[in-house]
Amino acid sequence: MRRFTTARDRKQGAVAIIGCVFLFTAFGVLVYGRFATSVGAAALYNRASVGVGFILFGISMLCFTPMVYAHVR
């Protein structure tokens, strides 16, 4: 297995940075959703934010999975 020390090109580096941004944003949104109120209209925004957090996690997985798979082969 090769070591992953640097990106092969600028595109791969940009995808890694975008994936990190989505990953940490998703984590922050889910933490917010955990401690936000669950009563009334604010609860609807809370549920929507949790949904957005899971979508952002999915996008981050789409960014990282091809890179990991390419380096394992």
Side-chain angles (χ1 to χ4, degrees):
M1 181 167 42
R2 295 185 322 183
R3 287 181 55 189
F4 182 65
T5 56
T6 59
R8 280 185 294 187
D9 54 5
R10 289 185 185 267
K11 182 182 175 187
Q12 189 178 20
V15 169
I17 290 171
I18 291 169
C20 286
V21 167
F22 282 144
L23 184 67
F24 289 115
T25 303
F27 180 71
V29 167
L30 289 176
V31 168
Y32 165 77
R34 174 69 178 102
F35 295 108
T37 185
S38 61
V39 177
L44 295 175
Y45 295 120
N46 181 18
R47 290 291 188 178
S49 69
V50 170
V52 168
F54 280 114
I55 289 171
L56 290 175
F57 266 126
I59 292 171
S60 68
M61 289 298 125
L62 285 174
C63 291
F64 288 123
T65 303
M67 289 190 297
V68 171
Y69 180 72
H71 287 285
V72 172
R73 283 193 299 158

